[in-house]
Amino acid sequence: MFWPVIKENECTNCRACQRICPKMVFDLEDRKVTVAMPTYCTGCESCSEVCPLKAIDVREI
């Protein structure tokens, strides 16, 4: 199982992760990108690769 983690102090809420995620793991809440459906993550790491600031870690749990 994989779990994406957003480094909130580094994230600029550009939504690149939300747009690229094939499983729609991310959502926007109060203008902040959140991990809304972490259990849907398949570990493809497209979110961390597209993030311009590398503010997302995908961890295997």
Side-chain angles (χ1 to χ4, degrees):
M1 176 181 253
F2 297 92
W3 201 273
V5 177
I6 298 173
K7 300 174 199 169
E8 292 184 26
N9 58 332
E10 296 177 27
C11 177
T12 61
N13 299 299
C14 70
R15 299 176 60 190
C17 57
Q18 183 185 24
R19 288 190 295 273
I20 201 163
C21 181
K23 297 295 182 178
M24 299 188 306
V25 169
F26 302 94
D27 201 359
L28 194 65
E29 265 182 44
D30 298 323
R31 297 186 188 165
K32 293 182 86 174
V33 176
T34 63
V35 181
M37 302 294 214
T39 57
Y40 289 8
C41 181
T42 60
C44 73
E45 296 188 2
S46 59
C47 58
S48 60
E49 290 174 12
V50 74
C51 180
L53 298 175
K54 305 300 180 207
I56 301 174
D57 288 328
V58 178
R59 301 177 183 163
E60 188 169 4
I61 58 171

Tab-separated table of all heavy atoms in Angstrom:
chain	number	residue	atom	x	y	z
A	1	MET	N	0.836	-1.165	0.000
A	1	MET	CA	0.000	0.000	0.000
A	1	MET	C	0.890	1.241	0.000
A	1	MET	O	1.938	1.255	0.625
A	1	MET	CB	-0.910	-0.022	1.233
A	1	MET	CG	-1.770	1.197	1.376
A	1	MET	SD	-2.793	1.119	2.864
A	1	MET	CE	-4.349	0.823	2.073
A	2	PHE	N	0.442	2.262	-0.701
A	2	PHE	CA	1.204	3.500	-0.820
A	2	PHE	C	0.410	4.657	-0.232
A	2	PHE	O	-0.824	4.628	-0.210
A	2	PHE	CB	1.526	3.782	-2.288
A	2	PHE	CG	2.395	2.733	-2.905
A	2	PHE	CD1	1.835	1.655	-3.568
A	2	PHE	CD2	3.768	2.813	-2.797
A	2	PHE	CE1	2.636	0.671	-4.126
A	2	PHE	CE2	4.578	1.840	-3.338
A	2	PHE	CZ	4.009	0.765	-4.013
A	3	TRP	N	1.129	5.670	0.224
A	3	TRP	CA	0.494	6.807	0.863
A	3	TRP	C	1.221	8.088	0.454
A	3	TRP	O	2.366	8.295	0.829
A	3	TRP	CB	0.575	6.635	2.375
A	3	TRP	CG	-0.434	7.432	3.129
A	3	TRP	CD1	-0.308	8.722	3.550
A	3	TRP	CD2	-1.710	6.990	3.577
A	3	TRP	NE1	-1.430	9.106	4.223
A	3	TRP	CE2	-2.309	8.054	4.258
A	3	TRP	CE3	-2.408	5.793	3.455
A	3	TRP	CZ2	-3.575	7.972	4.825
A	3	TRP	CZ3	-3.660	5.705	4.017
A	3	TRP	CH2	-4.231	6.779	4.691
A	4	PRO	N	0.575	8.960	-0.329
A	4	PRO	CA	1.209	10.232	-0.688
A	4	PRO	C	1.131	11.226	0.461
A	4	PRO	O	0.107	11.319	1.144
A	4	PRO	CB	0.381	10.717	-1.885
A	4	PRO	CG	-0.924	10.022	-1.757
A	4	PRO	CD	-0.693	8.756	-0.991
A	5	VAL	N	2.220	11.944	0.679
A	5	VAL	CA	2.295	12.924	1.756
A	5	VAL	C	2.736	14.251	1.150
A	5	VAL	O	3.764	14.323	0.471
A	5	VAL	CB	3.296	12.482	2.843
A	5	VAL	CG1	3.429	13.546	3.914
A	5	VAL	CG2	2.871	11.153	3.447
A	6	ILE	N	1.956	15.289	1.386
A	6	ILE	CA	2.282	16.629	0.905
A	6	ILE	C	3.059	17.359	1.991
A	6	ILE	O	2.609	17.438	3.140
A	6	ILE	CB	1.010	17.419	0.558
A	6	ILE	CG1	0.244	16.725	-0.557
A	6	ILE	CG2	1.360	18.853	0.161
A	6	ILE	CD1	-1.107	17.342	-0.865
A	7	LYS	N	4.206	17.900	1.627
A	7	LYS	CA	4.977	18.729	2.565
A	7	LYS	C	4.346	20.123	2.520
A	7	LYS	O	4.636	20.922	1.627
A	7	LYS	CB	6.434	18.796	2.140
A	7	LYS	CG	7.121	17.456	2.091
A	7	LYS	CD	8.515	17.610	1.512
A	7	LYS	CE	9.033	16.291	1.041
A	7	LYS	NZ	10.262	16.456	0.235
A	8	GLU	N	3.458	20.388	3.458
A	8	GLU	CA	2.651	21.602	3.431
A	8	GLU	C	3.462	22.884	3.438
A	8	GLU	O	3.053	23.875	2.833
A	8	GLU	CB	1.669	21.593	4.596
A	8	GLU	CG	0.598	20.530	4.439
A	8	GLU	CD	-0.431	20.583	5.529
A	8	GLU	OE1	-0.644	21.669	6.109
A	8	GLU	OE2	-1.033	19.532	5.803
A	9	ASN	N	4.612	22.880	4.081
A	9	ASN	CA	5.434	24.087	4.135
A	9	ASN	C	6.157	24.350	2.816
A	9	ASN	O	6.707	25.431	2.621
A	9	ASN	CB	6.428	24.027	5.292
A	9	ASN	CG	7.351	22.827	5.201
A	9	ASN	OD1	6.993	21.796	4.632
A	9	ASN	ND2	8.536	22.936	5.769
A	10	GLU	N	6.137	23.387	1.876
A	10	GLU	CA	6.793	23.549	0.590
A	10	GLU	C	5.797	23.642	-0.570
A	10	GLU	O	6.129	24.147	-1.636
A	10	GLU	CB	7.756	22.391	0.340
A	10	GLU	CG	8.898	22.350	1.336
A	10	GLU	CD	9.812	21.151	1.129
A	10	GLU	OE1	9.896	20.654	-0.003
A	10	GLU	OE2	10.425	20.722	2.121
A	11	CYS	N	4.586	23.170	-0.373
A	11	CYS	CA	3.575	23.124	-1.428
A	11	CYS	C	3.041	24.532	-1.730
A	11	CYS	O	2.694	25.286	-0.818
A	11	CYS	CB	2.429	22.220	-0.999
A	11	CYS	SG	1.065	22.138	-2.168
A	12	THR	N	2.958	24.880	-3.017
A	12	THR	CA	2.417	26.173	-3.432
A	12	THR	C	0.989	26.043	-3.956
A	12	THR	O	0.430	27.004	-4.469
A	12	THR	CB	3.290	26.812	-4.522
A	12	THR	OG1	3.302	25.943	-5.655
A	12	THR	CG2	4.691	27.077	-4.020
A	13	ASN	N	0.417	24.859	-3.869
A	13	ASN	CA	-0.948	24.584	-4.312
A	13	ASN	C	-1.149	24.869	-5.798
A	13	ASN	O	-2.184	25.382	-6.212
A	13	ASN	CB	-1.954	25.379	-3.460
A	13	ASN	CG	-1.871	24.986	-2.011
A	13	ASN	OD1	-2.098	23.832	-1.670
A	13	ASN	ND2	-1.495	25.915	-1.158
A	14	CYS	N	-0.174	24.483	-6.593
A	14	CYS	CA	-0.253	24.686	-8.044
A	14	CYS	C	-1.214	23.705	-8.716
A	14	CYS	O	-1.605	23.892	-9.852
A	14	CYS	CB	1.121	24.595	-8.679
A	14	CYS	SG	1.823	22.926	-8.689
A	15	ARG	N	-1.553	22.630	-8.020
A	15	ARG	CA	-2.502	21.603	-8.458
A	15	ARG	C	-1.979	20.700	-9.569
A	15	ARG	O	-2.732	19.961	-10.179
A	15	ARG	CB	-3.819	22.242	-8.865
A	15	ARG	CG	-4.473	22.976	-7.720
A	15	ARG	CD	-5.716	23.704	-8.105
A	15	ARG	NE	-6.705	22.767	-8.622
A	15	ARG	CZ	-7.818	23.157	-9.216
A	15	ARG	NH1	-8.088	24.424	-9.359
A	15	ARG	NH2	-8.664	22.272	-9.664
A	16	ALA	N	-0.692	20.729	-9.831
A	16	ALA	CA	-0.119	19.836	-10.849
A	16	ALA	C	-0.351	18.384	-10.469
A	16	ALA	O	-0.689	17.548	-11.309
A	16	ALA	CB	1.371	20.116	-11.024
A	17	CYS	N	-0.215	18.065	-9.206
A	17	CYS	CA	-0.438	16.695	-8.729
A	17	CYS	C	-1.886	16.273	-8.939
A	17	CYS	O	-2.153	15.153	-9.366
A	17	CYS	CB	-0.045	16.567	-7.265
A	17	CYS	SG	-0.915	17.706	-6.155
A	18	GLN	N	-2.782	17.171	-8.651
A	18	GLN	CA	-4.204	16.878	-8.804
A	18	GLN	C	-4.548	16.614	-10.267
A	18	GLN	O	-5.314	15.712	-10.574
A	18	GLN	CB	-5.035	18.039	-8.265
A	18	GLN	CG	-6.523	17.781	-8.309
A	18	GLN	CD	-7.333	18.973	-7.879
A	18	GLN	OE1	-6.881	20.115	-7.955
A	18	GLN	NE2	-8.536	18.720	-7.404
A	19	ARG	N	-3.969	17.376	-11.174
A	19	ARG	CA	-4.259	17.211	-12.601
A	19	ARG	C	-3.676	15.925	-13.178
A	19	ARG	O	-4.263	15.330	-14.068
A	19	ARG	CB	-3.739	18.421	-13.374
A	19	ARG	CG	-4.551	19.675	-13.148
A	19	ARG	CD	-4.159	20.787	-14.108
A	19	ARG	NE	-2.810	21.259	-13.912
A	19	ARG	CZ	-2.456	22.205	-13.051
A	19	ARG	NH1	-3.370	22.785	-12.305
A	19	ARG	NH2	-1.210	22.588	-12.933
A	20	ILE	N	-2.528	15.479	-12.665
A	20	ILE	CA	-1.862	14.327	-13.279
A	20	ILE	C	-2.247	12.988	-12.647
A	20	ILE	O	-2.100	11.949	-13.286
A	20	ILE	CB	-0.331	14.499	-13.264
A	20	ILE	CG1	0.289	13.602	-14.307
A	20	ILE	CG2	0.247	14.243	-11.877
A	20	ILE	CD1	1.703	13.933	-14.677
A	21	CYS	N	-2.754	12.996	-11.446
A	21	CYS	CA	-3.028	11.742	-10.737
A	21	CYS	C	-4.106	10.925	-11.448
A	21	CYS	O	-5.244	11.372	-11.589
A	21	CYS	CB	-3.474	12.033	-9.301
A	21	CYS	SG	-3.808	10.536	-8.369
A	22	PRO	N	-3.762	9.703	-11.878
A	22	PRO	CA	-4.737	8.874	-12.589
A	22	PRO	C	-5.837	8.313	-11.687
A	22	PRO	O	-6.881	7.896	-12.163
A	22	PRO	CB	-3.892	7.744	-13.176
A	22	PRO	CG	-2.716	7.634	-12.269
A	22	PRO	CD	-2.455	9.039	-11.781
A	23	LYS	N	-5.620	8.327	-10.386
A	23	LYS	CA	-6.591	7.772	-9.438
A	23	LYS	C	-7.354	8.847	-8.662
A	23	LYS	O	-8.103	8.528	-7.749
A	23	LYS	CB	-5.894	6.827	-8.448
A	23	LYS	CG	-5.276	5.626	-9.118
A	23	LYS	CD	-6.346	4.766	-9.737
A	23	LYS	CE	-5.752	3.529	-10.386
A	23	LYS	NZ	-6.784	2.668	-10.934
A	24	MET	N	-7.135	10.108	-8.992
A	24	MET	CA	-7.824	11.239	-8.350
A	24	MET	C	-7.687	11.209	-6.822
A	24	MET	O	-8.661	11.350	-6.092
A	24	MET	CB	-9.282	11.301	-8.792
A	24	MET	CG	-9.403	11.490	-10.287
A	24	MET	SD	-11.034	11.801	-10.949
A	24	MET	CE	-11.993	10.461	-10.341
A	25	VAL	N	-6.451	11.026	-6.385
A	25	VAL	CA	-6.147	10.962	-4.960
A	25	VAL	C	-6.232	12.344	-4.308
A	25	VAL	O	-6.600	12.470	-3.151
A	25	VAL	CB	-4.735	10.351	-4.751
A	25	VAL	CG1	-4.256	10.498	-3.333
A	25	VAL	CG2	-4.733	8.890	-5.170
A	26	PHE	N	-5.940	13.386	-5.065
A	26	PHE	CA	-5.849	14.742	-4.521
A	26	PHE	C	-7.121	15.539	-4.758
A	26	PHE	O	-7.833	15.325	-5.729
A	26	PHE	CB	-4.657	15.471	-5.157
A	26	PHE	CG	-3.359	14.769	-4.936
A	26	PHE	CD1	-2.872	13.875	-5.883
A	26	PHE	CD2	-2.634	14.954	-3.781
A	26	PHE	CE1	-1.681	13.201	-5.681
A	26	PHE	CE2	-1.444	14.278	-3.565
A	26	PHE	CZ	-0.963	13.399	-4.520
A	27	ASP	N	-7.361	16.490	-3.853
A	27	ASP	CA	-8.524	17.364	-3.975
A	27	ASP	C	-8.104	18.757	-3.509
A	27	ASP	O	-7.022	18.933	-2.950
A	27	ASP	CB	-9.664	16.835	-3.109
A	27	ASP	CG	-11.017	17.360	-3.535
A	27	ASP	OD1	-11.091	18.154	-4.498
A	27	ASP	OD2	-12.017	16.983	-2.911
A	28	LEU	N	-8.966	19.715	-3.746
A	28	LEU	CA	-8.701	21.083	-3.322
A	28	LEU	C	-9.702	21.437	-2.231
A	28	LEU	O	-10.915	21.345	-2.439
A	28	LEU	CB	-8.844	22.025	-4.513
A	28	LEU	CG	-8.292	23.425	-4.328
A	28	LEU	CD1	-6.779	23.375	-4.145
A	28	LEU	CD2	-8.638	24.281	-5.528
A	29	GLU	N	-9.190	21.815	-1.063
A	29	GLU	CA	-10.023	22.210	0.064
A	29	GLU	C	-9.540	23.546	0.579
A	29	GLU	O	-8.376	23.677	0.958
A	29	GLU	CB	-9.893	21.181	1.201
A	29	GLU	CG	-10.951	20.130	1.224
A	29	GLU	CD	-10.760	19.188	2.402
A	29	GLU	OE1	-10.485	19.657	3.525
A	29	GLU	OE2	-10.871	17.986	2.181
A	30	ASP	N	-10.411	24.517	0.584
A	30	ASP	CA	-10.039	25.859	1.056
A	30	ASP	C	-8.769	26.363	0.385
A	30	ASP	O	-7.852	26.864	1.044
A	30	ASP	CB	-9.876	25.881	2.576
A	30	ASP	CG	-11.163	25.549	3.302
A	30	ASP	OD1	-12.235	25.962	2.814
A	30	ASP	OD2	-11.100	24.871	4.344
A	31	ARG	N	-8.694	26.175	-0.920
A	31	ARG	CA	-7.554	26.617	-1.748
A	31	ARG	C	-6.248	25.884	-1.442
A	31	ARG	O	-5.173	26.363	-1.773
A	31	ARG	CB	-7.329	28.117	-1.622
A	31	ARG	CG	-8.461	28.952	-2.111
A	31	ARG	CD	-8.078	30.390	-2.074
A	31	ARG	NE	-9.210	31.228	-2.367
A	31	ARG	CZ	-9.236	32.504	-2.132
A	31	ARG	NH1	-8.198	33.103	-1.588
A	31	ARG	NH2	-10.296	33.214	-2.430
A	32	LYS	N	-6.327	24.753	-0.781
A	32	LYS	CA	-5.141	23.955	-0.480
A	32	LYS	C	-5.316	22.566	-1.067
A	32	LYS	O	-6.376	21.956	-0.944
A	32	LYS	CB	-4.929	23.838	1.032
A	32	LYS	CG	-4.573	25.153	1.698
A	32	LYS	CD	-4.329	24.955	3.157
A	32	LYS	CE	-2.882	24.563	3.334
A	32	LYS	NZ	-2.474	24.474	4.730
A	33	VAL	N	-4.256	22.071	-1.679
A	33	VAL	CA	-4.280	20.703	-2.195
A	33	VAL	C	-4.179	19.755	-1.013
A	33	VAL	O	-3.335	19.927	-0.133
A	33	VAL	CB	-3.118	20.461	-3.187
A	33	VAL	CG1	-3.088	19.016	-3.630
A	33	VAL	CG2	-3.246	21.375	-4.388
A	34	THR	N	-5.056	18.762	-1.003
A	34	THR	CA	-5.065	17.775	0.069
A	34	THR	C	-5.043	16.368	-0.516
A	34	THR	O	-5.387	16.167	-1.675
A	34	THR	CB	-6.322	17.909	0.959
A	34	THR	OG1	-7.472	17.644	0.159
A	34	THR	CG2	-6.419	19.273	1.595
A	35	VAL	N	-4.636	15.425	0.305
A	35	VAL	CA	-4.687	14.016	-0.070
A	35	VAL	C	-6.055	13.520	0.393
A	35	VAL	O	-6.232	13.148	1.546
A	35	VAL	CB	-3.545	13.213	0.579
A	35	VAL	CG1	-3.609	11.762	0.156
A	35	VAL	CG2	-2.197	13.816	0.220
A	36	ALA	N	-7.016	13.529	-0.516
A	36	ALA	CA	-8.394	13.216	-0.168
A	36	ALA	C	-8.670	11.713	-0.122
A	36	ALA	O	-9.449	11.250	0.701
A	36	ALA	CB	-9.338	13.887	-1.157
A	37	MET	N	-8.045	10.967	-1.015
A	37	MET	CA	-8.294	9.525	-1.106
A	37	MET	C	-6.972	8.763	-1.108
A	37	MET	O	-6.593	8.156	-2.122
A	37	MET	CB	-9.068	9.209	-2.379
A	37	MET	CG	-10.378	9.920	-2.483
A	37	MET	SD	-11.487	9.329	-1.218
A	37	MET	CE	-13.021	9.430	-2.057
A	38	PRO	N	-6.230	8.774	-0.023
A	38	PRO	CA	-4.898	8.168	-0.013
A	38	PRO	C	-4.890	6.670	-0.316
A	38	PRO	O	-3.933	6.163	-0.882
A	38	PRO	CB	-4.373	8.453	1.388
A	38	PRO	CG	-5.586	8.704	2.208
A	38	PRO	CD	-6.595	9.314	1.279
A	39	THR	N	-5.966	5.983	0.027
A	39	THR	CA	-5.994	4.537	-0.212
A	39	THR	C	-6.126	4.192	-1.690
A	39	THR	O	-5.901	3.046	-2.070
A	39	THR	CB	-7.139	3.864	0.573
A	39	THR	OG1	-8.375	4.476	0.205
A	39	THR	CG2	-6.923	4.000	2.065
A	40	TYR	N	-6.463	5.166	-2.525
A	40	TYR	CA	-6.543	4.939	-3.971
A	40	TYR	C	-5.162	4.964	-4.636
A	40	TYR	O	-5.013	4.557	-5.773
A	40	TYR	CB	-7.401	5.999	-4.637
A	40	TYR	CG	-8.880	5.919	-4.363
A	40	TYR	CD1	-9.418	5.044	-3.418
A	40	TYR	CD2	-9.755	6.731	-5.043
A	40	TYR	CE1	-10.776	4.986	-3.172
A	40	TYR	CE2	-11.127	6.680	-4.806
A	40	TYR	CZ	-11.620	5.812	-3.867
A	40	TYR	OH	-12.973	5.763	-3.637
A	41	CYS	N	-4.153	5.452	-3.933
A	41	CYS	CA	-2.807	5.606	-4.497
A	41	CYS	C	-2.220	4.249	-4.877
A	41	CYS	O	-2.242	3.296	-4.098
A	41	CYS	CB	-1.901	6.295	-3.485
A	41	CYS	SG	-0.218	6.564	-4.067
A	42	THR	N	-1.685	4.175	-6.100
A	42	THR	CA	-1.065	2.939	-6.576
A	42	THR	C	0.463	3.016	-6.547
A	42	THR	O	1.132	2.076	-6.953
A	42	THR	CB	-1.517	2.627	-8.015
A	42	THR	OG1	-1.126	3.709	-8.864
A	42	THR	CG2	-3.017	2.412	-8.080
A	43	GLY	N	0.999	4.156	-6.110
A	43	GLY	CA	2.451	4.298	-6.015
A	43	GLY	C	3.134	4.635	-7.325
A	43	GLY	O	4.329	4.426	-7.457
A	44	CYS	N	2.415	5.164	-8.292
A	44	CYS	CA	3.018	5.475	-9.600
A	44	CYS	C	4.002	6.641	-9.529
A	44	CYS	O	4.845	6.791	-10.407
A	44	CYS	CB	1.936	5.759	-10.639
A	44	CYS	SG	1.079	7.335	-10.457
A	45	GLU	N	3.890	7.468	-8.501
A	45	GLU	CA	4.759	8.608	-8.238
A	45	GLU	C	4.694	9.700	-9.298
A	45	GLU	O	5.570	10.555	-9.368
A	45	GLU	CB	6.202	8.167	-7.995
A	45	GLU	CG	6.334	7.307	-6.763
A	45	GLU	CD	7.765	7.002	-6.380
A	45	GLU	OE1	8.699	7.481	-7.046
A	45	GLU	OE2	7.938	6.274	-5.393
A	46	SER	N	3.664	9.707	-10.128
A	46	SER	CA	3.539	10.781	-11.115
A	46	SER	C	3.351	12.127	-10.420
A	46	SER	O	3.819	13.155	-10.905
A	46	SER	CB	2.396	10.501	-12.093
A	46	SER	OG	1.172	10.359	-11.419
A	47	CYS	N	2.708	12.131	-9.276
A	47	CYS	CA	2.502	13.374	-8.530
A	47	CYS	C	3.830	13.975	-8.056
A	47	CYS	O	4.063	15.177	-8.199
A	47	CYS	CB	1.576	13.146	-7.347
A	47	CYS	SG	2.139	11.886	-6.179
A	48	SER	N	4.688	13.142	-7.512
A	48	SER	CA	5.967	13.652	-7.017
A	48	SER	C	6.893	14.052	-8.159
A	48	SER	O	7.691	14.973	-8.028
A	48	SER	CB	6.643	12.645	-6.101
A	48	SER	OG	6.899	11.441	-6.770
A	49	GLU	N	6.757	13.388	-9.301
A	49	GLU	CA	7.584	13.735	-10.458
A	49	GLU	C	7.160	15.057	-11.092
A	49	GLU	O	7.995	15.813	-11.565
A	49	GLU	CB	7.527	12.616	-11.488
A	49	GLU	CG	8.243	11.362	-11.042
A	49	GLU	CD	8.071	10.202	-11.994
A	49	GLU	OE1	7.590	10.406	-13.128
A	49	GLU	OE2	8.402	9.075	-11.595
A	50	VAL	N	5.865	15.346	-11.095
A	50	VAL	CA	5.369	16.563	-11.740
A	50	VAL	C	5.456	17.783	-10.813
A	50	VAL	O	5.455	18.912	-11.285
A	50	VAL	CB	3.922	16.373	-12.250
A	50	VAL	CG1	2.924	16.387	-11.116
A	50	VAL	CG2	3.558	17.393	-13.294
A	51	CYS	N	5.572	17.574	-9.532
A	51	CYS	CA	5.614	18.689	-8.579
A	51	CYS	C	6.870	19.528	-8.797
A	51	CYS	O	7.987	19.021	-8.688
A	51	CYS	CB	5.587	18.160	-7.148
A	51	CYS	SG	5.625	19.478	-5.914
A	52	PRO	N	6.714	20.818	-9.105
A	52	PRO	CA	7.881	21.654	-9.386
A	52	PRO	C	8.802	21.848	-8.183
A	52	PRO	O	9.992	22.113	-8.343
A	52	PRO	CB	7.291	22.986	-9.839
A	52	PRO	CG	5.903	23.000	-9.318
A	52	PRO	CD	5.466	21.561	-9.223
A	53	LEU	N	8.269	21.691	-6.975
A	53	LEU	CA	9.076	21.878	-5.764
A	53	LEU	C	9.378	20.575	-5.036
A	53	LEU	O	9.932	20.588	-3.947
A	53	LEU	CB	8.363	22.845	-4.810
A	53	LEU	CG	8.155	24.249	-5.376
A	53	LEU	CD1	7.352	25.087	-4.415
A	53	LEU	CD2	9.489	24.894	-5.673
A	54	LYS	N	8.970	19.450	-5.637
A	54	LYS	CA	9.176	18.128	-5.016
A	54	LYS	C	8.603	18.100	-3.608
A	54	LYS	O	9.235	17.613	-2.670
A	54	LYS	CB	10.667	17.748	-5.012
A	54	LYS	CG	11.298	17.783	-6.388
A	54	LYS	CD	10.616	16.831	-7.319
A	54	LYS	CE	11.262	16.881	-8.705
A	54	LYS	NZ	10.367	16.522	-9.767
A	55	ALA	N	7.384	18.625	-3.476
A	55	ALA	CA	6.732	18.739	-2.179
A	55	ALA	C	5.851	17.542	-1.848
A	55	ALA	O	5.066	17.601	-0.908
A	55	ALA	CB	5.908	20.026	-2.137
A	56	ILE	N	5.989	16.453	-2.622
A	56	ILE	CA	5.182	15.266	-2.353
A	56	ILE	C	6.101	14.045	-2.267
A	56	ILE	O	6.950	13.834	-3.126
A	56	ILE	CB	4.144	15.012	-3.476
A	56	ILE	CG1	3.213	16.213	-3.605
A	56	ILE	CG2	3.346	13.742	-3.195
A	56	ILE	CD1	2.253	16.113	-4.760
A	57	ASP	N	5.899	13.288	-1.211
A	57	ASP	CA	6.582	12.008	-1.044
A	57	ASP	C	5.533	10.919	-1.146
A	57	ASP	O	4.456	11.054	-0.553
A	57	ASP	CB	7.253	11.898	0.325
A	57	ASP	CG	8.480	12.774	0.453
A	57	ASP	OD1	9.170	12.987	-0.549
A	57	ASP	OD2	8.742	13.233	1.577
A	58	VAL	N	5.843	9.856	-1.861
A	58	VAL	CA	4.954	8.703	-1.897
A	58	VAL	C	5.642	7.615	-1.094
A	58	VAL	O	6.705	7.146	-1.460
A	58	VAL	CB	4.687	8.240	-3.345
A	58	VAL	CG1	3.798	7.001	-3.337
A	58	VAL	CG2	4.035	9.349	-4.150
A	59	ARG	N	5.010	7.267	0.006
A	59	ARG	CA	5.602	6.297	0.925
A	59	ARG	C	4.888	4.956	0.830
A	59	ARG	O	3.675	4.898	0.698
A	59	ARG	CB	5.518	6.823	2.352
A	59	ARG	CG	6.238	8.142	2.511
A	59	ARG	CD	6.099	8.695	3.870
A	59	ARG	NE	6.754	10.007	3.942
A	59	ARG	CZ	6.536	10.880	4.882
A	59	ARG	NH1	5.704	10.589	5.873
A	59	ARG	NH2	7.158	12.044	4.871
A	60	GLU	N	5.666	3.916	0.934
A	60	GLU	CA	5.080	2.575	0.986
A	60	GLU	C	4.854	2.235	2.448
A	60	GLU	O	5.771	2.331	3.271
A	60	GLU	CB	6.002	1.559	0.330
A	60	GLU	CG	5.358	0.206	0.177
A	60	GLU	CD	6.158	-0.731	-0.709
A	60	GLU	OE1	7.246	-0.381	-1.159
A	60	GLU	OE2	5.657	-1.851	-0.935
A	61	ILE	N	3.646	1.835	2.748
A	61	ILE	CA	3.330	1.503	4.153
A	61	ILE	C	2.864	0.067	4.268
A	61	ILE	O	2.540	-0.576	3.312
A	61	ILE	CB	2.281	2.446	4.758
A	61	ILE	CG1	0.984	2.425	3.954
A	61	ILE	CG2	2.825	3.842	4.855
A	61	ILE	CD1	-0.146	3.149	4.603
